[in-house]
Amino acid sequence: MSKPKVAFYWCASCGGCEEAVVDLAEEILQVVEAVEIAFWPVALDFKREDVERLADGELVATFINGAIRTSEQAEMAHLLRAKSQILIAFGSCSHTGGVPGLANLYDREEILRYVYEEAPSVINPQRVRPEERIEVDEGMLTLPSFWGAVQTLDQTVEVDYYLPGCPPPVGLIRSALQALLSGNLPPKGSVLAPDVALCAECPRKPTKPERLALKELKRPHQVLIDPETCLLAQGLLCLGPATRSGCGAACITGNMPCTGCLGPTSRVLDGGAKALSAVASILDATGEAEIERILEGIPDPVGLFYRYSLPASLLYRRVGNGERAREGRSS
């Protein structure tokens, strides 16, 4: 009997999700024994044609990490969707847009102009930019189209399950693979992580005051962090109250605040707004001047509250004149 076929693919992301698979260590050998890896171009010599030759639905599951920013990434997402029985958004970038999604604060022209003309390390007096199509002696060369906005995977194709995290914790990967191989999967559309806030599993939970009232917000580099006390109680912006659990409180165990990479629970419509609301509820300020003083401790609100989720949020992207917010391919 042939083994079930699975695939892994990398779109707009840093590659950490691919490394997280390898972090299974010797357990990855059990995965290799149980399945046939039919496509994993970052690790093995596969080509797009290998996927095209597969019958529709021949892949039992595909794990796609990374957001969608180019036409090639969208084409591969559609191709792998057609070939897969189950498609899993693997990691924060495919789940909610991730750090690449912060590019939605800028339009396409601003990004290209900075990268190819204005960046301090660039010397390009002719202002040359890559062309999507250019004819040379050897024939026509093409490049993918660079879209006007970053999209999540499920804004591009239908997604069956979500495995959150930046990168997904090894424990969640292990559980997802076990569920996949056993067929014991939750309803489609589920996020494969506990549906409770991180504070529920935080080792510092006993030190969190019943009522927090902060008159100052601090950044990690400004203070010597107490390794035992609730980070919020120390005035540090920990997003644990607005973030799904399942990571084992890894950052907090490392004496750093949660940054929200596992995304919100199912009861939250907009993760960034939830985090903003959670922080606003613990500020102890009585006047506008005091509020402004406290908020000076958040120099980059979008980068803090929407670090991993801008494309999945109600905001989605910054809109220029004459643009509509949901036109991901707009220039």
Side-chain angles (χ1 to χ4, degrees), residues 64-75:
I64 295 182
N65 77 82
I68 306 298
R69 184 71 211 236
T70 69
S71 59
E72 180 184 37
Q73 291 161 356
E75 289 168 10

Side-chain angles (χ1 to χ4, degrees), residues 237 239 271-273 275-276 279 298 300-309:
L237 284 171
L239 300 189
L276 175 60
V279 171
I298 310 178
D300 180 14
V302 177
L304 173 68
F305 298 118
Y306 290 95
R307 180 180 302 188
Y308 304 101
S309 63

Side-chain angles (χ1 to χ4, degrees), residues 19 23 52 61 87 132 164 185 204 218 226 237 258 315 322:
E19 293 185 12
D23 284 343
E52 293 172 334
L87 189 69
E132 289 183 18
L185 286 162
R204 306 187 189 203
K218 305 167 186 175
D226 183 338
L237 284 171
C258 168
L315 301 177

Side-chain angles (χ1 to χ4, degrees), residues 4-327:
K5 294 179 179 179
V6 299
F8 298 88
Y9 192 67
W10 176 359
C11 292
S13 65
C14 69
C17 292
E18 305 281 359
E19 293 185 12
V21 176
V22 180
D23 284 343
L24 286 167
E26 66 272 9
E27 293 183 50
I28 198 171
L29 298 177
Q30 300 172 18
V31 175
V32 172
E33 288 178 1
V35 302
E36 175 187 345
I37 297 177
F39 187 63
W40 194 7
V42 75
L44 301 165
D45 186 17
F46 288 107
K47 302 292 187 289
R48 176 173 175 156
E49 291 77 10
D50 297 320
V51 181
E52 293 172 334
R53 283 193 290 266
L54 296 172
D56 285 359
E58 188 171 345
L59 293 170
V60 170
T62 293
F63 296 77
I64 295 182
N65 77 82
I68 306 298
R69 184 71 211 236
T70 69
S71 59
E72 180 184 37
Q73 291 161 356
E75 289 168 10
M76 288 303 300
H78 282 285
L79 176 61
L80 288 164
R81 171 70 277 183
K83 304 298 182 180
S84 307
Q85 298 173 31
I86 295 173
L87 189 69
I88 299 171
F90 186 54
S92 297
C93 294
S94 58
H95 178 205
T96 54
V99 172
L102 289 173
N104 282 2
L105 294 171
Y106 308 92
D107 64 32
R108 181 178 183 273
E109 173 58 28
E110 285 177 305
I111 293 172
L112 293 175
R113 184 171 63 246
Y114 183 80
V115 169
Y116 292 105
E117 300 174 20
E118 298 174 352
S121 61
V122 170
I123 300 175
N124 183 13
Q126 289 79 31
R127 300 179 181 273
V128 176
R129 295 185 186 179
E131 299 286 341
E132 289 183 18
R133 295 174 60 83
I134 184 168
E135 190 167 0
V136 296
D137 293 341
E138 293 78 9
M140 183 66 70
L141 300 179
T142 63
L143 286 174
S145 299
F146 183 71
W147 282 4
V150 178
Q151 295 186 353
T152 63
L153 184 59
D154 67 5
Q155 289 168 351
T156 308
V157 295
E158 182 181 355
V159 169
D160 297 304
Y161 297 103
Y162 303 85
L163 193 53
C166 184
V170 171
L172 294 186
I173 298 174
R174 182 190 303 115
S175 298
L177 289 170
Q178 290 171 347
L180 183 65
L181 293 172
S182 68
N184 186 26
L185 286 162
K188 285 193 175 184
S190 297
V191 177
L192 304 178
D195 197 17
V196 294
L198 179 60
C199 287
E201 67 175 26
C202 179
R204 306 187 189 203
K205 183 179 179 180
T207 67
K208 182 179 180 180
E210 184 174 341
R211 183 181 181 277
L212 285 166
L214 302 181
K215 287 190 170 294
E216 182 182 8
L217 298 176
K218 305 167 186 175
R219 303 174 71 191
H221 68 278
Q222 296 174 325
V223 295
L224 187 63
I225 302 174
D226 183 338
E228 305 293 335
T229 304
C230 170
L231 293 163
L232 280 170
Q234 298 182 60
L236 294 157
L237 284 171
C238 179
L239 300 189
T243 302
R244 188 183 289 264
S245 67
C247 63
C251 293
I252 294 166
T253 301
N255 211 28
M256 291 296 289
C258 168
T259 59
C261 75
L262 263 73
T265 64
S266 63
R267 297 169 294 282
V268 174
L269 180 62
D270 186 304
K274 171 64 176 178
L276 175 60
S277 174
V279 171
S281 69
I282 61 175
L283 299 184
D284 184 12
T286 56
E288 185 174 339
E290 190 173 14
I291 292 173
E292 290 183 356
R293 179 187 62 77
I294 295 175
L295 292 182
E296 288 177 358
I298 310 178
D300 180 14
V302 177
L304 173 68
F305 298 118
Y306 290 95
R307 180 180 302 188
Y308 304 101
S309 63
L310 184 58
S313 72
L314 296 175
L315 301 177
Y316 182 61
R317 61 169 293 195
R318 193 193 74 185
V319 181
N321 293 333
E323 289 184 308
R324 289 183 295 178
R326 290 289 170 179
E327 290 180 340

